[in-house]
Amino acid sequence: MRSIRRGETGPAVSEIRSILVGLELLGSAEPDVFDEALESAVRAFQQDRGLGIDGMVGDETWRALDAARWRLGSRTLFHSVPDPLVGEDVRALQERMLEMGYDTGRPDAVYGTRTARAVAQFQREVGLSTDGSCGPQTMKALRRLGRKVVGGRPQWLREAEAFRQSGPNLVGKTIVIDPGHGGGTDTGVVVPDGPLRWTEADLVFDLASRLEGRLSAAGMRVHLTRGPSPAKPMTGVERAALANSLGADLLISLHLDGHATEAAEGVATYHYGTGTGLSSTVGERLANLVQREIVVRTGMHDCRTHAKSWDLLRLTRMPTVRVDLGYLTSPVDRERLIDPLCREQIVEAILAAVQRMYFPVERDVPTGSIDVRQLRMALSSRPSS
């Protein structure tokens, strides 16, 4: 689908307006034109969903809008192959099932095999036909029954326990490093600087390459989601699918930020979480460790950690964080980011955070105290098998 933008009219514009009115991001479904108010509402929706904020409705934004229109109970949900049902109603069902103690996995808004299995288990226990679909009778039973697990997050407890049992060593563990953007004209934030031209895609790939070397030296199996000059951009869905196919233990996505105001600066880290309070416990811990290590080791402004349900965070099966490593549009941050020594500090910070992730909580160490050079030395001193 081509991008729908300001000034256009027609049925597609009317549908977009209707969805945004239902989400309370727009006051009226009239007029039937893509005006300034609609563009502002689209930008607000894109920001909330972690999409590219351009105020236009292309393929990715349209898929997100289409998913957002559904409310739990407005349609029958079932496992469809090869194109599963996707929507906010699916995520609401997954969160409801998790509250009741049924394992749907991460609430990713996709009605897959695991969700259907959990629904069938619930149906069996309440005496309904176990077809794994969520229709009127299943919805009635869900509304009638109270929560089984009050304040519990069993899926995150399972994730945390599996992580704990994997042991403290980095050797043999698999990590995916995702340098954001790249491919075609997708350069991310671009800032001219005299005769130079700094781009987000190039800088984060340099950081990812440095990080790949450090993590490999510490004994991890490291994969990058792209090379320096990919033929075409990758979506968050494609990056998540690649990480899942590699069976990764962790994924770290690297980005830079930009703002019209040069005063905007600082580093922020994001982990999976929803507006209802569901959050990846392991992902949240990794985000906090990465954020604190970078701030302490570089002196960058602390923009804190945040829960988001963006595609890359939502669809990955392993703990995933996205790190926005400063504002390229800020003279202060840009001076740091174009300095190879500062980029080395950032890499060391992320490596230290990854190592601390595998320490038991009771054996954790103060932020900034790990000498990452010792990790390589410890590996080289291990007897060969």
Side-chain angles (χ1 to χ4, degrees):
M1 135 180 205
R2 65 179 180 81
S3 293
I4 304 172
R5 62 191 72 198
R6 194 199 285 201
E8 297 192 31
T9 61
V13 174
S14 296
E15 192 165 6
I16 293 166
R17 294 191 74 101
S18 177
I19 294 171
L20 291 171
V21 168
L23 296 173
E24 299 183 353
L25 292 174
L26 192 65
S28 170
E30 300 294 335
D32 182 15
V33 63
F34 203 121
D35 57 10
E36 183 178 356
L38 180 55
E39 181 178 310
S40 296
V42 169
R43 287 180 180 274
F45 176 81
Q46 290 171 326
Q47 183 174 28
D48 182 62
R49 294 304 195 277
L51 306 172
I53 305 174
D54 56 11
M56 299 183 291
V57 179
D59 287 339
E60 188 176 19
T61 298
W62 172 250
R63 285 195 299 270
L65 282 166
D66 188 50
R69 76 169 82 214
W70 299 106
R71 293 292 175 266
L72 186 57
S74 61
R75 60 175 174 169
T76 296
L77 299 173
F78 56 93
H79 181 38
S80 173
V81 178
D83 299 314
L85 296 181
V86 178
E88 292 298 308
D89 53 345
V90 178
R91 185 167 70 180
L93 172 65
Q94 290 169 328
E95 291 178 358
R96 175 73 169 131
M97 297 297 293
L98 288 167
E99 288 173 351
M100 299 178 68
Y102 297 95
D103 181 16
T104 62
R106 182 170 299 190
D108 57 8
V110 179
Y111 205 100
T113 304
R114 201 164 173 179
T115 299
R117 236 185 351 248
V119 171
Q121 181 185 353
F122 168 75
Q123 290 170 327
R124 183 165 54 252
E125 292 182 4
V126 298
L128 298 176
S129 174
T130 57
D131 59 5
S133 65
C134 184
Q137 293 303 314
T138 302
M139 279 302 307
K140 184 177 179 181
L142 283 170
R143 293 190 181 105
R144 185 176 68 247
L145 297 176
R147 297 180 180 180
K148 283 185 178 181
V149 182
V150 179
R153 299 176 181 178
Q155 79 282 15
W156 307 127
L157 294 175
R158 283 188 288 268
E159 183 180 72
E161 179 60 17
F163 207 82
R164 186 189 68 79
Q165 289 184 0
S166 69
N169 293 324
L170 298 183
V171 177
K173 294 182 171 68
T174 301
I175 185 168
V176 171
I177 305 300
D178 172 45
H181 299 281
T185 59
D186 184 16
T187 54
V189 181
V190 180
V191 176
D193 184 9
L196 302 175
R197 179 175 177 267
W198 302 108
T199 71
E200 176 183 1
D202 290 342
L203 285 169
V204 296
F205 183 78
D206 176 82
L207 282 158
S209 299
R210 293 169 185 263
L211 187 56
E212 178 187 25
R214 291 298 190 92
L215 290 167
S216 296
M220 298 191 83
R221 292 190 291 263
V222 188
H223 301 272
L224 300 187
T225 57
R226 68 170 176 89
S229 302
K232 62 178 183 177
M234 290 179 70
T235 66
V237 174
E238 291 169 333
R239 293 170 194 257
L242 175 60
N244 289 338
S245 70
L246 293 169
D249 298 297
L250 291 175
L251 186 149
I252 297 177
S253 184
L254 305 177
H255 287 257
L256 302 180
D257 215 332
H259 199 277
T261 303
E262 287 188 347
E265 63 174 283
V267 56
T269 309
Y270 303 89
H271 60 89
Y272 176 76
T274 70
T276 59
L278 283 171
S279 177
S280 167
T281 306
V282 179
E284 186 174 357
R285 182 172 180 236
L286 177 59
N288 279 306
L289 290 173
V290 168
Q291 181 73 13
R292 284 154 42 198
E293 288 285 350
I294 292 176
V295 168
V296 165
R297 291 171 186 261
T298 66
M300 298 181 78
H301 180 67
D302 185 1
C303 295
R304 301 184 297 279
T305 62
H306 309 272
K308 294 289 184 181
S309 57
W310 301 336
D311 283 347
L312 185 66
L313 304 177
R314 176 174 58 87
L315 297 174
T316 42
R317 300 192 192 110
M318 72 293 302
T320 299
V321 298
R322 166 175 161 162
V323 195
D324 283 14
L325 295 159
Y327 285 77
L328 196 53
T329 49
S330 159
V332 175
D333 282 354
R334 186 166 63 252
E335 185 177 358
R336 290 189 175 104
L337 291 165
I338 64 177
D339 181 355
L341 293 177
C342 183
R343 294 204 293 275
E344 279 296 321
Q345 289 179 323
I346 291 172
V347 166
E348 289 183 356
I350 295 174
L351 176 54
V354 170
Q355 176 60 86
R356 289 178 65 189
M357 270 299 296
Y358 286 97
F359 287 161
V361 174
E362 63 274 12
R363 285 179 48 202
D364 197 11
V365 297
T367 300
S369 67
I370 290 181
D371 182 353
V372 296
R373 292 171 298 181
Q374 299 299 319
L375 298 178
R376 190 188 312 190
M377 292 173 60
L379 178 65
S380 63
S381 66
R382 287 168 58 94
S384 57
S385 56

